[in-house]
Amino acid sequence: GRDTRHSGDGLGEAVMRELAAVLRKKGSVAILAGNADAPNLRKRVAGVRREAALNPGIRIVGTFNHPETPSDAATEVASAQNDNPQIQGWAMVGGWALSTPRLMKELDPKKVKVVAVGALPAQLPFVQNGLAPVLLALPTYNWGYISVQRIVEKVHLKQNVPTILPPMEVVRVTNDNLGTWARQLETWGFTVPDSYLKLK
């Protein structure tokens, strides 16, 4: 099969694979999908659905679209969860809803699990409290840094560089590497609370 780890659908597949593992391959799942017109997000949703189909014990309750702001996303999740109390897992193709603390009050980590794309400082408390046991972080800083590095190598240093950069791996952020990831974010210029920087 083709390597889809880094294309949109590959990222969606990874989110669902992680969520299926957290739910021990059974349960009702919802997809938080952002803007219905965004091609990259539609690909991620397609990947989530394709991976879910490989798990007969996983049932998709629905795909929920919303304006891409933290408050709109969190409102959509809270409302969908309220209308569908059977939802045990959320496959979030973006981290919008975890960029505000609201869902920490509204979702019980003993009953609901989230796997989301994105692991910025505001999203780290969800890992720590167990609501989002796995976040898939995009190395967005490196996309910019390495692209500029290659331009300098080619234009300034006259080196041969690849026309297309190899895909950069997503980083799986869990309680096991929360401190390491927090320190990585800090070196990239993010403000991260000390409590995270001190973790192992």
Side-chain angles (χ1 to χ4, degrees):
R2 64 202 178 97
D3 178 3
T4 58
R5 278 171 311 178
H6 319 86
S7 57
D9 46 354
L11 194 52
E13 284 167 1
V15 167
M16 189 64 235
R17 225 180 351 266
E18 294 286 356
L19 186 57
V22 167
L23 297 176
R24 298 193 175 84
K25 302 208 178 219
K26 60 178 195 294
S28 294
V29 168
I31 304 171
L32 190 69
N35 178 349
D37 297 326
N40 64 323
L41 299 178
R42 285 212 308 263
K43 280 187 181 156
R44 291 179 192 180
V45 169
V48 170
R49 288 184 167 282
R50 202 166 37 252
E51 186 66 30
L54 303 176
N55 293 278
I58 297 283
R59 191 177 77 80
I60 295 193
V61 172
T63 299
F64 299 90
N65 296 101
H66 53 87
E68 290 172 31
T69 70
S71 84
D72 284 314
T75 298
E76 189 61 37
V77 171
S79 147
Q81 187 74 45
N82 199 35
D83 294 344
N84 305 275
Q86 76 275 28
I87 294 173
Q88 295 158 283
W90 279 91
M92 298 186 176
V93 301
W96 320 277
L98 305 185
S99 297
T100 167
R102 173 175 171 187
L103 293 178
M104 289 234 244
K105 296 183 203 74
E106 306 213 10
L107 299 184
D108 178 354
K110 290 188 187 69
K111 294 184 183 145
V112 181
K113 296 293 181 194
V114 171
V115 173
V117 174
L120 295 174
Q123 296 155 346
L124 304 182
F126 288 91
V127 175
Q128 203 169 32
N129 93 333
L131 191 57
V134 182
L135 294 178
L136 297 178
L138 300 173
T140 45
Y141 178 91
N142 283 350
W143 292 346
Y145 182 86
I146 292 171
S147 300
V148 171
Q149 193 176 36
R150 292 296 169 271
I151 292 167
V152 169
E153 288 165 357
K154 181 167 178 65
V155 175
H156 188 65
L157 304 174
K158 310 285 185 238
Q159 294 174 0
N160 282 327
V161 300
T163 316
I164 297 175
L165 293 177
M168 291 175 222
E169 295 288 342
V170 296
V171 179
R172 191 173 177 275
V173 179
T174 67
N175 262 316
D176 295 336
N177 65 344
L178 203 48
T180 309
W181 177 249
R183 290 185 288 278
Q184 176 67 77
L185 287 173
E186 191 189 39
T187 64
W188 286 343
F190 288 95
T191 304
V192 184
D194 275 350
S195 58
Y196 293 102
L197 300 173
K198 290 189 181 114
L199 297 169
K200 66 177 168 64

